[in-house]
Amino acid sequence: DQDMWRMSGLWRDCYLLARPQIMLRDVKLTADLVNNYADGELTVVPAVEGKNLSGVVLKTTLYDPAGSAVGEKESAADKNTVFSVPGVLPWSNELPRLYTLVCELKREGTTFEALAFKVGFRKVEIKDGIFCVNGVPVKIRGVNRHDTNPDSGHTVSLDDMKKDLIEMRRHNITAIRTSHYINDPRFLDLCDEYGFFVIDECDIESHGCHVFREDEDKFTSNRPDYKMAYLDRCARMYERDKNHASVIIWSLGNESQFGANHVAMADYLHSVDTRPVHYEGGYDALCLDIVSRMYTHH
């Protein structure tokens, strides 16, 4: 029904994670290409949480794809850090080269927490109407994907994900749209590693509301009382997946008409990120970066 088998239950792992009293609540990474795409620039924006942060420092170490350290810095825990990487090895779907950033929260030699992130240096742009990655025009050859297994339903193992991606690569597929919800975070890790472009799609689809089709004011996408629900799902997608090199486009959802709540979502994404924003139902709306026609005639 509506693009997928409907099944109840919990499909993905649920877990509790113990964190120290002083912790890295969040790290935002922007791995850009500069100097005509020749060099890399990594901006690390930490968010530290806890009481008595006096004397707490953040040590960051960047390693190249071969595992050699290319930079190390130490700063106050709440300060941004910038790494310049001359002659960087960029990430692309053909050469998915990943650096590793290790962040350590420390005070007087004691480490509270250490987190590691995979980093792909790449630049996504629309230049004169042409979609480009690292300055090169790109044609996307993509598919939609659901969490589906013939035996386990919507519970998909890591091995299943790997097999899917390997089979896609064999058939020259270069991009995946996460229809119509954010995928398992491990799947995006694999897309970073294997070299797939991802259109990351928000979990919004309003089928079931079509009884109101004659009155646009009653669409959930136009109703003010749904605005925060739309923005919440959009923000959760962005915050969870913002550091993935494979994510090259944000999508506002699927087949939910078009309304003021989509405009609010697009405005939010443009305020926090530079990647293009897509939504098929908006067609050529000014808040969108991509004109999309899902069911066009020949």
Side-chain angles (χ1 to χ4, degrees):
D1 179 62
Q2 190 46 41
D3 301 340
M4 63 188 294
W5 293 97
R6 288 199 175 175
M7 302 176 186
S8 60
L10 300 176
W11 306 335
R12 301 178 190 168
D13 288 342
C14 298
Y15 58 90
L16 294 175
L17 180 63
R19 304 288 298 277
Q21 290 185 341
I22 297 178
M23 65 174 183
L24 274 166
R25 184 181 60 79
D26 187 39
V27 179
K28 179 180 179 179
L29 305 176
T30 303
D32 202 0
L33 297 179
V34 296
N35 300 329
N36 199 29
Y37 312 102
D39 304 322
E41 185 175 89
L42 174 63
T43 302
V44 182
V45 181
V48 180
E49 196 170 278
K51 298 180 179 179
N52 186 20
L53 299 180
S54 175
V56 177
V57 298
L58 178 64
K59 179 184 176 182
T60 49
T61 308
L62 184 65
Y63 299 89
D64 67 17
S68 300
V70 296
E72 180 181 295
K73 298 194 176 186
E74 194 170 286
S75 63
D78 58 349
K79 298 297 184 182
N80 298 351
T81 299
V82 178
F83 285 93
S84 296
V85 186
V88 71
L89 300 173
W91 182 96
S92 72
N93 68 309
E94 295 177 335
L95 292 170
R97 295 175 289 204
L98 293 171
Y99 288 66
T100 301
L101 180 74
V102 177
C103 300
E104 300 175 74
L105 268 185
K106 309 178 74 172
R107 180 163 57 194
E108 296 178 355
T110 299
T111 299
F112 297 110
E113 189 170 50
L115 301 177
F117 301 88
K118 292 298 182 181
V119 178
F121 289 88
R122 56 101 180 91
K123 195 174 191 71
V124 178
E125 303 168 288
I126 296 177
K127 300 171 65 175
D128 298 324
I130 305 298
F131 184 77
C132 298
V133 177
N134 303 342
V136 179
V138 167
K139 296 288 188 184
I140 286 178
R141 184 183 176 93
V143 294
N144 291 336
R145 176 193 179 269
H146 269 298
D147 285 329
T148 301
N149 179 283
D151 299 313
S152 57
H154 294 321
T155 297
V156 180
S157 71
L158 191 63
D159 284 341
D160 289 335
M161 298 177 201
K162 290 179 179 179
K163 289 176 183 177
D164 277 352
L165 289 172
I166 290 171
E167 198 65 24
M168 289 179 190
R169 177 64 77 184
R170 284 182 178 142
H171 287 79
N172 299 317
I173 290 167
T174 62
I176 295 162
R177 175 183 175 213
T178 66
S179 60
H180 300 296
Y181 44 81
I182 54 176
N183 280 196
D184 188 313
R186 296 174 301 168
F187 184 75
L188 293 186
D189 290 339
L190 291 174
C191 289
D192 292 342
E193 179 184 350
Y194 289 179
F196 281 86
F197 295 136
V198 174
I199 301 175
D200 205 3
E201 187 154 278
C202 194
D203 180 19
I204 291 178
E205 185 161 5
S206 66
H207 285 86
C209 300
H210 288 187
V211 66
F212 300 125
R213 183 181 292 278
E214 72 282 357
D215 188 349
E216 290 190 3
D217 289 340
K218 293 182 180 178
F219 291 169
T220 55
S221 299
N222 265 325
R223 286 174 52 174
D225 55 333
Y226 273 81
K227 179 179 179 180
M228 291 310 299
Y230 275 59
L231 284 171
D232 181 66
R233 293 192 182 200
C234 183
R236 286 172 178 267
M237 171 183 69
Y238 168 74
E239 290 293 350
R240 198 200 71 170
D241 297 343
K242 63 190 175 210
N243 293 332
H244 284 283
S246 57
V247 176
I248 59 168
I249 295 171
W250 302 111
S251 176
L252 304 183
N254 182 64
E255 293 186 340
S256 298
Q257 300 88 37
F258 180 75
N261 295 338
H262 288 115
V263 176
M265 295 165 69
D267 288 347
Y268 162 76
L269 288 171
H270 285 130
S271 73
V272 295
D273 201 75
T274 60
R275 280 165 277 199
V277 176
H278 158 271
Y279 175 65
E280 55 85 17
Y283 302 126
D284 54 358
L286 294 179
C287 67
L288 303 174
D289 302 300
I290 297 169
V291 176
S292 180
R293 293 287 191 273
M294 180 173 287
Y295 301 120
T296 186
H297 297 292
H298 287 71

